């Protein structure tokens, strides 16, 4: 990765994820299994987060590719 790519991804994150969403997503790098736990969770807040996270991923891909 390079700085311009990192800046682009951060810009996409700010557009789709709250700061608390970003903090939660950052935990996935340290503990990838956590992302599966969130994705498969029955909690409504986790489901809503996962939808925002997927939107972020699509936006980052479109913006930064």
């Amino acid at each position: 990765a390079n700085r311009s790519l990192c800046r682009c991804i951060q810009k996409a994150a700010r557009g789709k994820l709250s700061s608390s969403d970003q903090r939660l997503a950052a935990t996935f790098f340290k503990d990838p299994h956590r992302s599966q736990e969130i994705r498969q969770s029955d909690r409504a807040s986790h489901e809503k987060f996962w939808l925002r996270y997927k939107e972020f991923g699509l936006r980052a891909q479109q913006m930064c590719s």
Side-chain angles (χ1 to χ4, degrees):
N2 59 48
R3 284 187 180 171
S4 64
L5 178 59
C6 290
R7 280 192 300 265
C8 184
I9 292 170
Q10 181 59 45
K11 186 176 180 179
R14 281 190 303 251
K16 290 292 179 183
L17 301 174
S18 69
S19 57
S20 62
D21 286 345
Q22 291 178 51
R23 283 190 300 276
L24 176 57
T27 67
F28 300 164
F29 294 97
K30 188 174 181 178
D31 181 8
H33 182 68
R34 178 91 171 116
S35 66
Q36 289 290 43
E37 292 172 342
I38 298 294
R39 187 180 67 82
Q40 295 175 338
S41 172
D42 291 333
R43 291 179 59 186
S45 62
H46 287 167
E47 184 175 342
K48 289 175 185 176
F49 163 81
W50 198 256
L51 292 174
R52 291 188 303 272
Y53 188 69
K54 283 178 29 179
E55 287 181 21
F56 150 69
L58 291 172
R59 181 175 175 139
Q61 185 176 24
Q62 292 168 347
M63 289 174 57
C64 306
S65 295

